[in-house]
Amino acid sequence: MFKVAVIGGSGMLGRALVDELTQQTSWKVVATAFSRPSAQTVALDIRDTGAVERFIEQTAPDAVVIAAAERRPDVCERDPALARALNVDAVRTIAAAADRRGAWTLSISTDYVFDGTHPPYRHDNAPAPLNAYGHSKLEGERALTETTDRGCVLRLPLLYGPIVNWSESAVTSLVPAIAASAAPGGEPATMDAWAIRYPTFTPDVAVVIRQMLERHARGEPITGIVQWSGDEPMTKYEIAVRLAEALQLDAHLMPQHTPADATPRPHNCHLASSRLEELGIGRRTPFDIAIRQVLTAFPWQGARSPA
């Protein structure tokens, strides 16, 4: 029985991953949660070193996937100590405990380790983060690679997928403003049209991770750094336009062509996925198809069903 521990199984990526992995009938999946515990998860605060070590020791997984993190750039900027605790120190603790058990560890990182000036970025390009979030995730990458030889970092860009609330993804967080702009007398919604993002569907990422785990189960583990990304470039303004089309809303959207975020964001951090693609790993669902699946599963009161 191949056993996988998913740390952060209640988050947007964690849920998609658990859904994918539990379809493998010969695998056992143990998921942890902190802010949204349930009967299907084990309660775990990854900042508690002793609790992490006991969980790994008792679970005895063959592989550990770290999907828990502080992913909000503005929060990381305001509270670098929290960002470090979740994105660096916890990664080191989990990787060390997994290494003692002989388990392979996969840690999720971000395209924000790059400054966005010279895309596309290969896995071996030199990182140069612009904000506290990117710095913390880069330190987390180093914490993993310094702690275990059985580790792999998977860098991902902007994620979206099945949600429990609109704010769970920076993609779906645009929906309330889009809807408000379409209401009678609604004010136009200003959307960033400067930064280029590559929205990536969490069920696709879950397939990528499952394929990576299958290689490990065969005794062919992937180590070092790999990257996965959707292949459709779009700004938040362009994402909003496509969301409005999917919701059949006559939204009033205004593009903002200069950076307006308080926390600095990179212009274009397109991640090259070639290392995984060369291994035959990957799946990409077109944005317009995937976002309709998300919106259909989480209907907004007042919006018509996606076309």
Side-chain angles (χ1 to χ4, degrees), residues 251-274:
H252 297 90
L253 306 173
M254 298 280 290
Q256 169 71 41
H257 293 289
T258 54
D261 289 303
T263 301
R265 259 82 163 171
H267 174 57
N268 183 349
C269 288
H270 185 206
L271 298 174
S273 307
S274 51

mmCIF file of all heavy atoms in Angstrom, residues 251-274:
data_model
loop_
_atom_site.group_PDB
_atom_site.id
_atom_site.type_symbol
_atom_site.label_atom_id
_atom_site.label_comp_id
_atom_site.label_asym_id
_atom_site.label_seq_id
_atom_site.Cartn_x
_atom_site.Cartn_y
_atom_site.Cartn_z
ATOM 1 N N ALA A 251 -20.770 43.405 -17.774
ATOM 2 C CA ALA A 251 -19.931 44.104 -16.807
ATOM 3 C C ALA A 251 -19.303 45.351 -17.411
ATOM 4 O O ALA A 251 -19.038 45.408 -18.620
ATOM 5 C CB ALA A 251 -18.841 43.164 -16.307
ATOM 6 N N HIS A 252 -19.050 46.330 -16.557
ATOM 7 C CA HIS A 252 -18.371 47.555 -16.974
ATOM 8 C C HIS A 252 -16.969 47.532 -16.358
ATOM 9 O O HIS A 252 -16.806 47.806 -15.162
ATOM 10 C CB HIS A 252 -19.157 48.790 -16.525
ATOM 11 C CG HIS A 252 -20.509 48.862 -17.155
ATOM 12 N ND1 HIS A 252 -21.623 48.289 -16.584
ATOM 13 C CD2 HIS A 252 -20.929 49.421 -18.326
ATOM 14 C CE1 HIS A 252 -22.683 48.498 -17.367
ATOM 15 N NE2 HIS A 252 -22.280 49.175 -18.423
ATOM 16 N N LEU A 253 -15.985 47.173 -17.180
ATOM 17 C CA LEU A 253 -14.617 46.957 -16.704
ATOM 18 C C LEU A 253 -13.676 47.995 -17.299
ATOM 19 O O LEU A 253 -13.747 48.306 -18.493
ATOM 20 C CB LEU A 253 -14.147 45.549 -17.079
ATOM 21 C CG LEU A 253 -15.068 44.393 -16.617
ATOM 22 C CD1 LEU A 253 -14.587 43.078 -17.198
ATOM 23 C CD2 LEU A 253 -15.117 44.324 -15.095
ATOM 24 N N MET A 254 -12.778 48.510 -16.459
ATOM 25 C CA MET A 254 -11.806 49.513 -16.880
ATOM 26 C C MET A 254 -10.400 48.947 -16.702
ATOM 27 O O MET A 254 -10.038 48.523 -15.600
ATOM 28 C CB MET A 254 -11.952 50.779 -16.038
ATOM 29 C CG MET A 254 -13.301 51.461 -16.155
ATOM 30 S SD MET A 254 -13.423 52.446 -17.654
ATOM 31 C CE MET A 254 -12.299 53.763 -17.250
ATOM 32 N N PRO A 255 -9.581 48.931 -17.769
ATOM 33 C CA PRO A 255 -8.207 48.440 -17.616
ATOM 34 C C PRO A 255 -7.305 49.474 -16.938
ATOM 35 O O PRO A 255 -7.391 50.666 -17.218
ATOM 36 C CB PRO A 255 -7.766 48.191 -19.059
ATOM 37 C CG PRO A 255 -8.604 49.119 -19.885
ATOM 38 C CD PRO A 255 -9.908 49.258 -19.168
ATOM 39 N N GLN A 256 -6.455 48.996 -16.029
ATOM 40 C CA GLN A 256 -5.447 49.838 -15.364
ATOM 41 C C GLN A 256 -4.083 49.401 -15.901
ATOM 42 O O GLN A 256 -3.624 48.310 -15.600
ATOM 43 C CB GLN A 256 -5.516 49.638 -13.847
ATOM 44 C CG GLN A 256 -4.361 50.239 -13.058
ATOM 45 C CD GLN A 256 -4.397 51.743 -13.019
ATOM 46 O OE1 GLN A 256 -5.459 52.323 -12.868
ATOM 47 N NE2 GLN A 256 -3.238 52.370 -13.157
ATOM 48 N N HIS A 257 -3.441 50.250 -16.705
ATOM 49 C CA HIS A 257 -2.251 49.832 -17.450
ATOM 50 C C HIS A 257 -0.936 50.075 -16.723
ATOM 51 O O HIS A 257 0.129 49.796 -17.272
ATOM 52 C CB HIS A 257 -2.228 50.520 -18.818
ATOM 53 C CG HIS A 257 -3.332 50.065 -19.736
ATOM 54 N ND1 HIS A 257 -3.353 48.808 -20.302
ATOM 55 C CD2 HIS A 257 -4.460 50.689 -20.152
ATOM 56 C CE1 HIS A 257 -4.443 48.679 -21.058
ATOM 57 N NE2 HIS A 257 -5.136 49.802 -20.970
ATOM 58 N N THR A 258 -0.977 50.582 -15.510
ATOM 59 C CA THR A 258 0.231 50.759 -14.712
ATOM 60 C C THR A 258 0.068 50.029 -13.389
ATOM 61 O O THR A 258 -1.057 49.859 -12.903
ATOM 62 C CB THR A 258 0.504 52.251 -14.441
ATOM 63 O OG1 THR A 258 -0.665 52.842 -13.847
ATOM 64 C CG2 THR A 258 0.850 52.981 -15.735
ATOM 65 N N PRO A 259 1.160 49.567 -12.768
ATOM 66 C CA PRO A 259 1.038 48.825 -11.506
ATOM 67 C C PRO A 259 0.368 49.675 -10.435
ATOM 68 O O PRO A 259 0.714 50.838 -10.249
ATOM 69 C CB PRO A 259 2.491 48.512 -11.140
ATOM 70 C CG PRO A 259 3.259 48.634 -12.408
ATOM 71 C CD PRO A 259 2.552 49.669 -13.230
ATOM 72 N N ALA A 260 -0.585 49.083 -9.728
ATOM 73 C CA ALA A 260 -1.320 49.832 -8.705
ATOM 74 C C ALA A 260 -1.324 49.124 -7.355
ATOM 75 O O ALA A 260 -1.850 49.658 -6.382
ATOM 76 C CB ALA A 260 -2.760 50.055 -9.168
ATOM 77 N N ASP A 261 -0.728 47.922 -7.278
ATOM 78 C CA ASP A 261 -0.730 47.171 -6.017
ATOM 79 C C ASP A 261 0.248 47.780 -5.022
ATOM 80 O O ASP A 261 1.342 48.205 -5.392
ATOM 81 C CB ASP A 261 -0.351 45.710 -6.273
ATOM 82 C CG ASP A 261 -1.449 44.940 -6.992
ATOM 83 O OD1 ASP A 261 -2.575 44.906 -6.472
ATOM 84 O OD2 ASP A 261 -1.172 44.389 -8.065
ATOM 85 N N ALA A 262 -0.134 47.790 -3.743
ATOM 86 C CA ALA A 262 0.773 48.275 -2.702
ATOM 87 C C ALA A 262 1.999 47.377 -2.585
ATOM 88 O O ALA A 262 3.116 47.856 -2.375
ATOM 89 C CB ALA A 262 0.043 48.342 -1.367
ATOM 90 N N THR A 263 1.793 46.068 -2.730
ATOM 91 C CA THR A 263 2.899 45.113 -2.716
ATOM 92 C C THR A 263 3.404 44.928 -4.145
ATOM 93 O O THR A 263 2.609 44.656 -5.040
ATOM 94 C CB THR A 263 2.423 43.755 -2.163
ATOM 95 O OG1 THR A 263 1.919 43.948 -0.833
ATOM 96 C CG2 THR A 263 3.560 42.753 -2.132
ATOM 97 N N PRO A 264 4.698 45.090 -4.381
ATOM 98 C CA PRO A 264 5.197 44.957 -5.753
ATOM 99 C C PRO A 264 4.966 43.555 -6.314
ATOM 100 O O PRO A 264 5.167 42.552 -5.629
ATOM 101 C CB PRO A 264 6.696 45.258 -5.633
ATOM 102 C CG PRO A 264 7.022 45.046 -4.185
ATOM 103 C CD PRO A 264 5.782 45.395 -3.432
ATOM 104 N N ARG A 265 4.498 43.511 -7.554
ATOM 105 C CA ARG A 265 4.276 42.262 -8.264
ATOM 106 C C ARG A 265 5.161 42.239 -9.511
ATOM 107 O O ARG A 265 5.385 43.284 -10.119
ATOM 108 C CB ARG A 265 2.817 42.150 -8.717
ATOM 109 C CG ARG A 265 1.939 41.258 -7.852
ATOM 110 C CD ARG A 265 1.425 41.950 -6.644
ATOM 111 N NE ARG A 265 0.288 41.241 -6.022
ATOM 112 C CZ ARG A 265 -0.223 41.568 -4.854
ATOM 113 N NH1 ARG A 265 0.253 42.585 -4.174
ATOM 114 N NH2 ARG A 265 -1.234 40.888 -4.347
ATOM 115 N N PRO A 266 5.638 41.067 -9.915
ATOM 116 C CA PRO A 266 6.406 40.977 -11.156
ATOM 117 C C PRO A 266 5.513 41.141 -12.389
ATOM 118 O O PRO A 266 4.313 40.881 -12.326
ATOM 119 C CB PRO A 266 7.028 39.582 -11.100
ATOM 120 C CG PRO A 266 6.250 38.836 -10.074
ATOM 121 C CD PRO A 266 5.571 39.801 -9.183
ATOM 122 N N HIS A 267 6.114 41.563 -13.502
ATOM 123 C CA HIS A 267 5.336 41.811 -14.717
ATOM 124 C C HIS A 267 4.924 40.515 -15.412
ATOM 125 O O HIS A 267 3.757 40.323 -15.748
ATOM 126 C CB HIS A 267 6.148 42.678 -15.681
ATOM 127 C CG HIS A 267 5.479 42.876 -17.020
ATOM 128 N ND1 HIS A 267 4.220 43.425 -17.136
ATOM 129 C CD2 HIS A 267 5.888 42.583 -18.280
ATOM 130 C CE1 HIS A 267 3.879 43.467 -18.421
ATOM 131 N NE2 HIS A 267 4.861 42.950 -19.136
ATOM 132 N N ASN A 268 5.864 39.598 -15.631
ATOM 133 C CA ASN A 268 5.558 38.353 -16.353
ATOM 134 C C ASN A 268 6.522 37.268 -15.909
ATOM 135 O O ASN A 268 7.691 37.278 -16.290
ATOM 136 C CB ASN A 268 5.667 38.572 -17.861
ATOM 137 C CG ASN A 268 5.281 37.326 -18.658
ATOM 138 O OD1 ASN A 268 5.125 36.241 -18.103
ATOM 139 N ND2 ASN A 268 5.137 37.459 -19.960
ATOM 140 N N CYS A 269 6.020 36.346 -15.093
ATOM 141 C CA CYS A 269 6.850 35.252 -14.552
ATOM 142 C C CYS A 269 6.539 33.919 -15.213
ATOM 143 O O CYS A 269 6.523 32.885 -14.549
ATOM 144 C CB CYS A 269 6.620 35.118 -13.049
ATOM 145 S SG CYS A 269 7.342 36.431 -12.090
ATOM 146 N N HIS A 270 6.275 33.926 -16.497
ATOM 147 C CA HIS A 270 5.895 32.684 -17.179
ATOM 148 C C HIS A 270 6.899 31.570 -16.877
ATOM 149 O O HIS A 270 8.099 31.701 -17.131
ATOM 150 C CB HIS A 270 5.817 32.915 -18.684
ATOM 151 C CG HIS A 270 5.311 31.724 -19.433
ATOM 152 N ND1 HIS A 270 5.627 31.468 -20.750
ATOM 153 C CD2 HIS A 270 4.505 30.686 -19.050
ATOM 154 C CE1 HIS A 270 5.040 30.358 -21.147
ATOM 155 N NE2 HIS A 270 4.358 29.861 -20.128
ATOM 156 N N LEU A 271 6.396 30.466 -16.335
ATOM 157 C CA LEU A 271 7.223 29.320 -15.985
ATOM 158 C C LEU A 271 7.279 28.324 -17.139
ATOM 159 O O LEU A 271 6.240 27.879 -17.629
ATOM 160 C CB LEU A 271 6.651 28.610 -14.754
ATOM 161 C CG LEU A 271 6.589 29.404 -13.451
ATOM 162 C CD1 LEU A 271 5.854 28.598 -12.386
ATOM 163 C CD2 LEU A 271 7.989 29.768 -12.972
ATOM 164 N N ALA A 272 8.483 27.966 -17.553
ATOM 165 C CA ALA A 272 8.650 26.908 -18.544
ATOM 166 C C ALA A 272 8.430 25.561 -17.862
ATOM 167 O O ALA A 272 8.998 25.285 -16.806
ATOM 168 C CB ALA A 272 10.048 26.975 -19.155
ATOM 169 N N SER A 273 7.607 24.728 -18.462
ATOM 170 C CA SER A 273 7.253 23.426 -17.871
ATOM 171 C C SER A 273 8.005 22.270 -18.531
ATOM 172 O O SER A 273 7.606 21.112 -18.391
ATOM 173 C CB SER A 273 5.738 23.195 -18.005
ATOM 174 O OG SER A 273 4.997 24.272 -17.491
ATOM 175 N N SER A 274 9.083 22.579 -19.226
ATOM 176 C CA SER A 274 9.733 21.596 -20.109
ATOM 177 C C SER A 274 10.261 20.374 -19.370
ATOM 178 O O SER A 274 10.210 19.259 -19.903
ATOM 179 C CB SER A 274 10.872 22.261 -20.888
ATOM 180 O OG SER A 274 11.728 22.958 -20.007
#
